């Protein structure tokens, strides 16, 4: 939308004024207007304004679940973890068949380092709808739980659904480390070389360079591969 384009260009006030001008067209229609305006305020870190507009969206009893996600993030970013968690529980109750409900809760649990819960919720999200985001969250939480086979499978599924994950530095790092930990050194090398082609940041990543050197050194293959945060 034009509001997003203006915001991306740094014209924040113009973006908000533009979207506020769309109130008569969108306000009250399932929370779309309130969600988009709340996101703009959130990106400006105007959390008080974001909270108020998201709450207005919820009061509409709309069928727009992302309103819950927007408000829960405001609570999370302002240190109100219990309220954020409770709101996402409400989202699951309100939209039990929507994958985003469980993915959003999984993402929060991951941020709070509750990796087992994050993994379980990612699996529920995937049972509702196959999607790359949930596979990636499953991979990230499984990596923290030291479950390399699940990481490998989840990342490959994410790539099959959305090939742009081949350029995702964080995803390919945990993928390569997991492959190496399973003794799949050649595949790990291919994964690293691929992300270096796809991502300029990866091309100069010292951690990847170190891992690649270790994998190409036969004497080090039997040792432990490095871990990434």
């Amino acid at each position: 939308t034009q509001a997003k384009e203006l915001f991306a260009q740094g014209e924040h006030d113009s973006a908000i004024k533009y979207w506020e001008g769309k109130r008569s067209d969108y306000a009250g229609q399932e929370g779309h207007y309130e969600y988009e305006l709340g996101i703009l305020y959130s990106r400006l870190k105007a959390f008080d304004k974001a909270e108020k507009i998201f709450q207005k969206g919820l009061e509409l009893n709309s069928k727009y679940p992302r309103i819950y996600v927007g408000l829960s993030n405001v609570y999370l970013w302002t240190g109100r973890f219990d309220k954020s968690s409770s709101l996402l529980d409400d989202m699951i109750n309100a939209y039990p068949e929507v994958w985003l409900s469980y993915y959003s809760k999984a993402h929060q649990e991951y941020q709070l380092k509750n990796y087992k819960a994050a993994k379980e919720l990612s699996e529920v999200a995937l049972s509702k709808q196959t999607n790359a985001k949930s596979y990636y969250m499953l991979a990230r939480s499984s990596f923290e739980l030291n479950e390399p086979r699940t990481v490998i499978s989840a990342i490959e599924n994410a790539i099959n659904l959305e090939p742009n994950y081949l350029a995702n530095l964080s995803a390919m790092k945990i993928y390569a480390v997991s492959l190496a930990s399973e003794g799949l050194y050649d595949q790990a090398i291919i994964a690293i070389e691929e992300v270096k082609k796809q991502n300029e940041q990866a091309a100069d990543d010292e951690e990847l360079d170190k891992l690649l050197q270790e994998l190409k050194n036969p004497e080090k293959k039997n040792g432990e591969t490095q871990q990434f945060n």
Side-chain angles (χ1 to χ4, degrees):
T1 65
Q2 186 172 343
K4 291 179 180 178
E5 291 177 2
L6 287 168
F7 197 97
Q9 294 168 5
E11 299 181 34
H12 302 152
D13 290 341
S14 296
I16 290 174
K17 287 180 180 179
Y18 173 84
W19 192 245
E20 286 177 337
K22 295 293 183 180
R23 180 179 180 84
S24 60
D25 296 330
Y26 295 103
Q29 297 183 17
E30 299 192 346
H32 176 64
Y33 168 82
E34 289 77 11
Y35 173 75
E36 294 294 346
L37 184 57
I39 290 297
L40 291 175
Y41 281 134
S42 294
R43 292 177 66 184
L44 285 176
K45 297 184 179 180
F47 296 127
D48 288 346
K49 291 182 178 180
E51 181 176 347
K52 289 178 181 178
I53 196 68
F54 283 137
Q55 287 176 336
K56 285 183 179 180
L58 285 180
E59 290 168 3
L60 296 173
N61 293 319
S62 72
K63 298 184 181 299
Y64 203 70
R66 291 184 184 275
I67 287 280
Y68 286 84
V69 180
L71 184 54
S72 72
N73 283 335
V74 169
Y75 288 150
L76 189 65
W77 294 329
T78 53
R80 290 171 287 176
F81 304 115
D82 290 342
K83 291 193 73 171
S84 179
S85 180
S86 178
L87 186 62
L88 290 178
D89 289 337
D90 291 342
M91 182 181 178
I92 289 173
N93 290 330
Y95 303 96
E97 297 304 318
V98 177
W99 72 271
L100 182 63
S101 300
Y102 303 94
Y103 169 80
S104 300
K105 182 72 172 180
H107 188 269
Q108 183 186 74
E109 294 291 357
Y110 181 88
Q111 289 179 304
L112 297 175
K113 299 184 179 182
N114 297 326
Y115 302 123
K116 184 177 180 181
K119 178 188 175 184
E120 292 172 351
L121 286 159
S122 298
E123 291 171 333
V124 177
L126 287 164
S127 74
K128 302 299 179 182
Q129 181 178 318
T130 301
N131 64 92
K133 281 189 174 182
S134 294
Y135 273 124
Y136 182 38
M137 180 53 62
L138 175 60
R140 292 173 69 191
S141 53
S142 297
F143 185 77
E144 298 296 339
L145 293 169
N146 194 27
E147 298 177 3
R149 292 185 181 182
T150 303
V151 176
I152 294 168
S153 175
I155 292 293
E156 289 176 351
N157 281 320
I159 291 171
N160 287 335
L161 290 169
E162 294 186 18
N164 61 320
Y165 274 93
L166 285 168
N168 185 312
L169 179 55
S170 297
M172 296 301 282
K173 275 185 176 181
I174 64 173
Y175 181 50
V177 169
S178 297
L179 287 168
S181 69
E182 289 294 294
L184 302 171
Y185 305 117
D186 290 341
Q187 292 183 42
I189 291 171
I190 291 172
I192 293 171
E193 291 178 340
E194 181 64 30
V195 73
K196 281 181 170 291
K197 292 178 184 177
Q198 301 262 358
N199 186 321
E200 291 182 2
Q201 184 181 356
D204 300 320
D205 190 276
E206 293 181 359
E207 290 180 332
L208 278 184
D209 288 339
K210 182 178 179 182
L211 178 57
L212 189 60
Q213 290 174 2
E214 291 177 356
L215 291 170
K216 289 184 175 181
N217 186 338
E219 295 179 359
K220 291 187 177 182
K221 283 186 178 181
N222 294 326
E224 294 184 1
T225 56
Q226 68 180 109
Q227 295 291 309
F228 297 112
N229 295 325

